[in-house]
């Protein structure tokens, strides 16, 4: 049924693109809403009739995976949710996959956020996606959420030397000095790994500038696709690796399933999203090609005249 | 006085924070000033919210165009403030996480802010598609290079790229689209972004210095009366 | 309002109520709060569709959604700032009474008279709302600007300038030639043979150098300088092309997220 759905959708989209090409060549006006409809179809069809692909992790993603995989059991990882709903579909799958990976390896996780919206998304992620897979994990022992603080990079400037000064309590007003995870953690310099997931300011870049470089702490970044190219100058000297956009999330999920097959049973939104992503990319490339065919035809005609 | 005191504050705080990096005994002072900054940032949120209310109340009073929608803004603002400040429905009470699952505040986030913000940004997918059809032309050599890089990335960052070029033997694997995408990202993109980054950093450093030394004063505004 | 507008509103309201009833019905076996949950999911879908309706044309539904978002977001950030920073970081340092009211545990040595400074500066910042006392809000503004400048000065200089330059000095010639080696391996540039690695290093070194030359406007771009600048443009074009590709990817992901919500959480046509 799914295959038939995929074929029908592909035929519809292909037929539509050919019609678009013909109309464009005839120099007839194409309403922008037709273009919008194409994109909607290209995204909706693979969601209705899922197309699944295998992914292979690139080195920038694999370095983050290997870092978490090779940390000794009981290491402390800080995971910062520095994003809002506008980035969430891209980066939340990464955050979930990395949290699961850390739990699977027996690491302790400190969750925090530099964005107010990040704390709300973190709360949602923890209760809906992360903790249901790990019912044995105990709050304050295996993980803790210290939440959000206002002040952007100002927050980082304090926690690089003293976490408790900036975060006297966790989100539920439990003093940090009574939380077992913080027994040997005074500042960010005592952490084994930091993963910042975001895409705006403050976000991964600020973690590199204010914590990673001055504190010599390994920092990995998971970023929205728009920001991903801007993070490459920091790799590999200043950051461990980069998860860029939904593709980065899909690669991480595929690596997680490859090494820990039990995660195949869990939801993998990154991998699931690659179907619609692929078709939409093809349609956008087709738009560029059609636009250019019409442009060059027009230019040649102008030259002749 | 109206200008001298702010200029002194900027100079004092800026210099102190720079020195606190290099002089360990000043570290605590630097932390405290940063904490002050974080607290003032919250007052900036209050200022933003206050300004929003002022603008919409004024719009409502003067019955300006679309004044009816200002009521929506004010009701939304008031309701969210009410459920947030009083932690209505929070299962853990006053000391618990303000975003605890089940609290009204968190439900408002999940079912109002989340869909609204993500859909507003999702609209951009449609506009990017429309721009690709109407504006993305290989008019000259530079634009063609840009277009080719975009195509390699668009294909290389999807499974389709590998499917199309999987037949290329390993000895020539550099011509497989995903590998070309990796190559572009790790060398050309890295170089270009680094050149931009170095330029921006020089700009930030120069601007910071201008601000601290009081050369740059535009943030003080031109009108002394306020 | 026109008669058709009333009719349209009636139809939308009827569809909303119908969706609410159906959604509540489908949730009735799963949760006790199925009526409220049904309403929330329907309202969420209504807001999603209201924003998407902008694609057809600007309309009152979109304006409703837009205005609601502005109001709710402002209050959200305000509440978050209040509970996470004012209550947890400021109040324990200023007042024991308020600390116990908000059930924030007092910390030994917390009380610090100096924390009245940000309170005073914060109140001065709020003076901006007053028509006559706005000038005094320059003091906290100066504090914010000074802090940002002080924080950024050293960090940008270290991470985005010095480290970037030092990272650009990569080995351009291997000391010992070990053959061409792999062209690529496992989507990993660093796992390639010596030829590809060296070529990549050359691209990085020359790319940064030529890119910087392009941004140098104090000398006319002619001769060798002009040629380097031209190479710089090409490198930058490749960079922007990559950025465009990634931007498309990002925007599509957001749309996938919303359509998935509509199909799965609201309409339940996919699992």
């Amino acid at each position: 049924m799914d295959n038939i759905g995929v074929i029908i959708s592909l035929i519809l989209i292909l037929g539509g693109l050919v019609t678009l090409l013909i109309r464009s060549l005839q120099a007839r006006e194409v309403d922008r809403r037709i273009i919008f409809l194409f994109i909607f179809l290209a995204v909706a069809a693979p969601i209705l009739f899922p197309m699944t692909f295998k992914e292979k992790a690139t080195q920038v993603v694999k370095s983050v995976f290997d870092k978490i995989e090779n940390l000794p059991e009981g290491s402390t990882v800080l995971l910062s949710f520095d994003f809002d709903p506008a980035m969430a579909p891209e980066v939340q799958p990464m955050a979930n996959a990395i949290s699961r990976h850390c739990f699977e390896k027996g690491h302790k996780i400190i969750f925090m956020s530099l964005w107010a919206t990040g704390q709300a998304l973190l709360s949602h992620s923890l209760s809906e996606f992360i903790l249901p897979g790990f019912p044995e994990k105990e709050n304050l022992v295996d993980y803790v959420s210290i939440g959000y603080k206002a002040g952007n990079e100002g927050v980082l400037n304090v926690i690089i030397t003293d976490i408790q000064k900036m975060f006297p309590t966790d989100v539920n007003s439990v003093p940090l000095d009574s939380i077992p995870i913080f027994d040997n953690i005074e500042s960010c310099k005592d952490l084994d790994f930091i993963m910042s997931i975001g895409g705006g300011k403050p976000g991964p870049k600020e973690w590199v500038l204010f914590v990673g470089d001055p504190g010599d702490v390994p920092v990995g970044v998971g970023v929205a696709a728009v920001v991903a190219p801007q993070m490459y100058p920091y790799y590999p000297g200043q950051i461990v690796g980069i998860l860029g956009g939904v593709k980065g999330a899909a690669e991480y999920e595929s690596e997680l399933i490859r090494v820990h097959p039990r995660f195949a049973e869990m939801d993998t939104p990154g991998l699931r999203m690659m179907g619609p992503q692929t078709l939409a990319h093809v349609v956008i490339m087709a738009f560029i090609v059609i636009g250019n065919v019409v442009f060059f035809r027009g230019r040649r005609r102008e030259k002749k005249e | 006085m109206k200008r001298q005191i702010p200029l002194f504050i900027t100079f004092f705080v800026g210099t102190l924070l720079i020195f606190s990096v290099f002089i360990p005994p000043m570290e605590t002072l630097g932390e405290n000033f940063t904490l002050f900054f974080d607290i003032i940032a919250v007052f900036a949120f209050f200022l933003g919210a206050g300004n929003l209310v002022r603008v919409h109340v004024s719009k409502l009073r003067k019955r300006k165009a679309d004044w009816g929608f200002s009521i929506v803004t004010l009701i939304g603002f008031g309701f969210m403030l009410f459920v947030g400040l009083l932690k209505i429905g929070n299962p853990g009470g006053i000391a618990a996480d303000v975003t605890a699952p089940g609290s009204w505040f968190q439900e408002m986030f999940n079912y109002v802010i989340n869909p609204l913000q993500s859909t507003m940004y999702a609209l951009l997918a449609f506009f990017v598609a429309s721009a690709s059809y109407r504006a993305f032309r290989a008019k000259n050599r530079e634009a063609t290079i840009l277009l080719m890089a975009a195509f390699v990335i668009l294909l290389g960052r999807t499974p389709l790229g590998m499917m199309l070029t999987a037949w290329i033997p390993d000895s020539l694997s550099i011509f497989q689209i995903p590998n070309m995408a990796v190559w572009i990202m790790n060398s050309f993109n890295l170089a270009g972004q680094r050149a931009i980054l170095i330029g921006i950093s020089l700009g930030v450093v120069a601007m910071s210095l201008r601000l601290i030394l009081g050369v740059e004063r535009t943030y003080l505004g031109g009108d002394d009366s306020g | 309002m026109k008669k058709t507008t009333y009719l349209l509103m009636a139809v939308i309201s009827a569809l909303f109520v119908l969706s609410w009833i159906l959604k509540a019905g489908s949730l009735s076996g799963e949760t006790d709060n199925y009526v409220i949950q049904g309403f929330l999911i329907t309202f969420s879908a209504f807001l999603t569709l209201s924003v998407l309706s902008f694609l057809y044309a600007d309309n009152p539904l979109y304006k409703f959604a837009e205005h609601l978002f502005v109001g709710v977001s402002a209050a959200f950030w305000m509440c978050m700032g209040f509970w996470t920073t004012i209550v947890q970081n400021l109040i324990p340092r200023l007042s024991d009474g308020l600390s116990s009211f908000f059930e924030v545990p007092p910390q030994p040595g917390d009380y610090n008279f100096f924390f009245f400074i940000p309170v005073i500066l914060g109140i001065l910042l709020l003076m901006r709302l007053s028509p006559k006392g706005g000038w005094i809000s320059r003091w906290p503004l100066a504090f914010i600007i000074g802090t940002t400048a002080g924080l950024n000065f050293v960090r940008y200089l270290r991470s985005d300038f010095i480290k970037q330059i030092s990272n650009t000095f990569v080995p351009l010639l291997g000391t010992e030639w070990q053959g061409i080696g792999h062209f690529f391996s496992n989507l990993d540039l660093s796992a390639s043979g010596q030829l590809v690695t060296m070529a990549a290093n050359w691209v990085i070194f020359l790319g940064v150098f030529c890119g910087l030359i392009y941004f140098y406007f104090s000398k006319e771009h002619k001769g060798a300088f002009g040629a380097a600048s031209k190479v710089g443009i090409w490198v930058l074009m490749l960079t922007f092309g990559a950025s465009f590709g990634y931007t498309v990817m990002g925007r599509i992901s957001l749309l996938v997220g919303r359509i998935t919500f509509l199909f799965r959480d609201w309409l339940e046509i996919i699992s």
Side-chain angles (χ1 to χ4, degrees):
Chain A
M1 180 64 191
D2 277 357
N3 286 342
I4 297 170
V6 170
I7 291 165
I8 293 174
S9 317
L10 287 177
I11 291 171
L12 267 175
I13 290 167
L14 197 70
L17 286 172
V18 172
T19 317
L20 184 70
L21 177 65
I22 294 167
R23 278 184 73 95
S24 303
L25 287 173
Q26 289 168 344
R28 287 161 72 185
E29 185 60 31
V30 179
D31 194 293
R32 68 194 162 90
R33 282 165 282 208
I34 305 275
I35 308 284
F36 295 163
L37 191 67
F38 268 113
I39 280 296
F40 181 81
L41 272 178
V43 172
I47 295 177
L48 282 175
F49 313 106
M51 291 193 256
T52 45
F53 298 101
K54 276 191 178 164
E55 283 291 338
K56 192 176 176 187
T58 47
Q59 190 53 37
V60 280
V61 174
K62 211 168 170 300
S63 340
V64 175
F65 183 90
D66 291 344
K67 178 77 191 173
I68 294 175
E69 185 69 20
N70 297 328
L71 280 175
E73 191 181 331
S75 301
T76 313
V77 175
L78 187 142
L79 198 55
S80 190
F81 279 51
D82 306 328
F83 55 91
D84 62 3
M87 290 177 251
E90 288 183 85
V91 297
Q92 206 155 19
M94 299 173 193
N96 296 345
I98 291 168
S99 306
R100 285 170 181 163
H101 189 197
C102 288
F103 276 154
E104 181 71 9
K105 293 298 294 179
H107 305 323
K108 291 167 183 159
I109 313 179
I110 300 168
F111 293 102
M112 64 164 281
S113 174
L114 294 175
W115 287 48
T117 43
Q119 184 175 326
L121 289 162
L122 163 61
S123 168
H124 184 68
S125 255
L126 270 174
S127 62
E128 297 291 318
F129 306 112
I130 303 167
L131 293 177
F134 298 89
E136 76 285 2
K137 296 291 174 189
E138 211 179 314
N139 187 21
L140 309 183
V141 177
D142 301 303
Y143 70 96
V144 63
S145 169
I146 54 176
Y148 160 77
K149 293 287 174 203
N152 298 353
E153 53 267 50
V155 176
L156 302 178
N157 193 47
V158 178
I159 64 173
I160 178 71
T161 45
D162 190 348
I163 295 180
Q164 203 177 340
K165 193 164 195 171
M166 191 72 241
F167 293 90
T169 66
D170 79 341
V171 283
N172 292 309
S173 307
V174 179
L176 233 59
D177 49 17
S178 68
I179 298 173
I181 294 179
F182 286 96
D183 282 349
N184 298 313
I185 307 287
E186 195 189 317
S187 71
C188 281
K189 292 173 190 165
D190 302 319
L191 295 165
D192 297 297
F193 183 51
I194 293 172
M195 188 74 201
S196 167
I197 296 170
K201 185 180 164 40
K205 181 186 167 87
E206 279 66 34
W207 277 101
V208 178
L209 265 64
F210 286 84
V211 177
D213 281 350
D216 203 18
V217 192
V219 174
V221 300
V223 284
V226 176
V227 182
Q230 295 163 26
M231 296 309 296
Y232 275 77
Y234 300 109
Y235 175 80
Q238 292 157 281
I239 50 178
V240 173
I242 307 163
L243 274 66
V246 72
K247 168 78 171 159
E251 286 179 16
Y252 199 94
E253 285 171 356
S254 73
E255 195 66 4
L256 195 58
I257 292 170
R258 190 180 67 78
V259 180
H260 304 282
R262 87 175 184 95
F263 287 108
E265 304 298 317
M266 290 189 186
D267 187 27
T268 47
L271 285 168
R272 192 162 31 80
M273 283 165 83
M274 284 317 288
Q277 197 78 43
T278 306
L279 198 54
H281 282 201
V282 172
V283 168
I284 285 187
M285 282 190 293
F287 285 159
I288 297 175
V289 170
I290 293 172
N292 276 283
V293 166
V294 176
F295 169 71
F296 282 110
R297 201 163 174 263
R299 202 156 76 167
R300 207 165 49 188
R301 201 176 286 166
E302 266 174 29
K303 272 182 189 169
K304 271 185 190 170
E305 284 166 8
Chain B
M1 276 299 270
K2 284 179 179 174
R3 284 178 166 265
Q4 297 312 317
I5 292 177
L7 285 174
F8 173 73
I9 294 174
T10 307
F11 173 76
F12 177 71
V13 180
T15 321
L16 186 138
L17 282 166
I18 291 174
F19 280 127
S20 71
V21 178
F22 302 104
I23 306 168
M26 286 180 76
E27 205 173 65
T28 315
L29 206 59
E31 281 173 12
N32 281 340
F33 270 73
T34 320
L35 257 172
F36 293 174
F37 168 77
D38 299 340
I39 291 162
I40 296 170
V42 181
F43 283 92
F45 296 168
F46 296 169
L47 175 67
N51 199 36
L52 180 85
V53 172
R54 191 173 69 166
V55 166
H56 282 277
V57 167
S58 148
K59 205 172 157 184
L60 205 61
R61 251 196 224 144
K62 292 175 185 165
R63 293 283 193 274
K64 283 186 183 170
D66 286 341
W67 60 271
F69 293 110
S70 292
I71 300 174
V72 176
T73 302
L74 292 171
I75 290 175
F77 177 79
F79 183 74
M80 193 67 174
L81 205 62
F82 173 71
V83 299
L85 289 183
L86 300 181
K87 290 196 176 177
I88 304 285
N90 197 310
I94 198 164
D97 179 5
V98 62
T99 59
S103 65
W104 285 31
F105 188 69
Q106 177 69 0
E107 297 293 39
M108 281 290 284
F109 176 82
N110 285 340
Y111 294 102
V112 178
I113 295 182
N114 198 341
L116 282 172
Q117 197 178 4
S118 50
T119 317
M120 276 180 191
Y121 279 82
L123 286 181
L124 295 174
F126 296 99
F127 298 129
V128 163
S130 180
S132 300
Y133 173 66
R134 291 176 198 282
F136 209 179
R137 302 279 185 267
K139 281 183 181 167
N140 51 35
R141 195 182 297 159
E142 284 79 19
T144 313
I145 293 173
L146 194 150
L147 202 75
M148 280 160 59
F151 265 52
V152 171
I153 298 296
L154 280 170
L155 274 177
R157 303 307 282 153
T158 58
L160 194 66
M162 186 47 95
M163 280 156 67
L164 287 175
T165 48
W167 53 271
I168 296 177
D170 270 357
S171 55
L172 293 171
S173 58
I174 199 164
F175 297 109
Q176 288 172 347
I177 296 175
N179 282 333
M180 283 166 74
V182 171
W183 169 258
I184 287 179
M185 292 309 292
N186 284 284
S187 50
F188 293 101
N189 166 72
L190 188 152
Q193 293 287 358
R194 186 169 282 165
I196 296 170
L197 208 60
I198 291 171
I200 292 174
S201 69
L202 282 175
V204 170
V205 168
M207 181 52 89
S208 299
L209 214 54
R210 282 171 65 88
L211 285 164
I212 291 169
L213 297 176
V215 181
E216 179 65 51
R217 300 174 178 201
T218 42
Y219 68 94
L220 294 174
D223 181 13
D224 269 10
S225 63
Chain C
M1 278 197 277
K2 284 180 193 169
K3 205 175 169 183
T4 45
T5 314
Y6 282 116
L7 194 68
L8 205 64
M9 278 172 67
V11 171
I12 290 168
S13 306
L15 285 173
F16 185 92
V17 173
L18 181 70
S19 159
W20 180 7
I21 294 167
L22 290 172
K23 193 71 214 170
S26 77
L27 289 170
S28 60
E30 294 170 29
T31 169
D32 294 337
N33 292 331
Y34 58 92
V35 178
I36 294 171
Q37 281 297 316
F39 172 79
L40 288 173
I41 293 175
T42 306
F43 189 59
S44 192
F46 165 74
L47 292 176
T48 303
L49 293 173
S50 298
V51 176
L52 287 176
S53 69
F54 182 74
L55 293 170
Y56 185 76
D58 197 4
N59 65 75
L61 283 178
Y62 175 75
K63 279 187 181 146
F64 168 82
E66 191 185 32
H67 280 77
L68 181 67
F69 175 63
V70 171
V72 172
S73 289
F76 176 83
W77 280 82
M78 202 173 146
C79 291
M80 288 300 291
F82 175 74
W83 284 111
T84 60
T85 310
I86 299 288
V87 171
Q88 290 187 344
N89 287 60
L90 182 67
I91 284 176
R93 288 180 167 107
L94 292 185
S95 157
D96 289 340
L98 278 174
S99 288
S100 51
F101 174 77
F102 286 111
E103 296 180 22
V104 193
Q107 299 272 307
D110 250 1
Y111 188 79
N112 192 334
F113 179 77
F114 286 105
F115 275 77
F116 277 107
I117 295 172
V119 177
I120 294 166
L121 287 173
I123 292 166
L124 293 184
L125 189 67
L126 294 178
M127 292 292 284
R128 207 171 181 82
L129 292 170
S130 127
K132 285 190 177 172
W135 64 273
I136 202 140
S137 68
R138 287 173 182 170
W139 294 15
L141 195 64
F143 189 93
I144 294 170
I145 299 276
T147 314
T148 313
L151 285 175
N152 285 342
F153 182 80
V154 181
R155 277 74 181 186
Y156 274 80
L157 199 60
R158 174 170 44 205
S159 299
D160 280 8
F161 185 71
I162 298 170
K163 283 217 169 189
Q164 294 306 321
I165 290 176
S166 74
N167 287 343
T168 305
F169 288 95
V170 281
L172 297 176
L173 289 171
T175 46
E176 205 175 298
W177 181 248
Q178 290 153 349
I180 292 172
H182 289 293
F183 267 127
F184 243 98
S185 180
N186 285 329
L187 297 168
D188 179 10
L189 193 61
S190 60
S192 305
Q194 206 170 0
L195 184 72
V196 172
T197 312
M198 249 170 53
N201 288 351
W202 274 98
V203 169
I204 291 170
F205 181 74
L206 289 177
V208 174
F209 189 68
C210 296
L212 285 172
I213 284 179
Y214 172 71
F215 286 124
Y216 188 77
F217 300 115
S218 302
K219 185 174 157 53
E220 204 179 341
H221 290 191
K222 273 179 14 188
F225 198 77
S229 158
K230 194 84 184 159
V231 175
I233 296 177
W234 293 343
V235 172
L236 287 171
M237 284 302 139
L238 281 162
T239 306
F240 297 145
S243 292
F244 174 79
Y246 266 86
T247 303
V248 169
M249 189 166 107
R251 300 309 176 215
I252 297 294
S253 309
L254 303 182
L255 184 60
V256 175
R258 289 329 294 159
I259 296 179
T260 306
F261 163 77
L262 288 176
F263 286 177
R264 189 184 57 194
D265 300 347
W266 182 45
L267 296 174
E268 296 180 28
I269 49 178
I270 56 167
S271 57

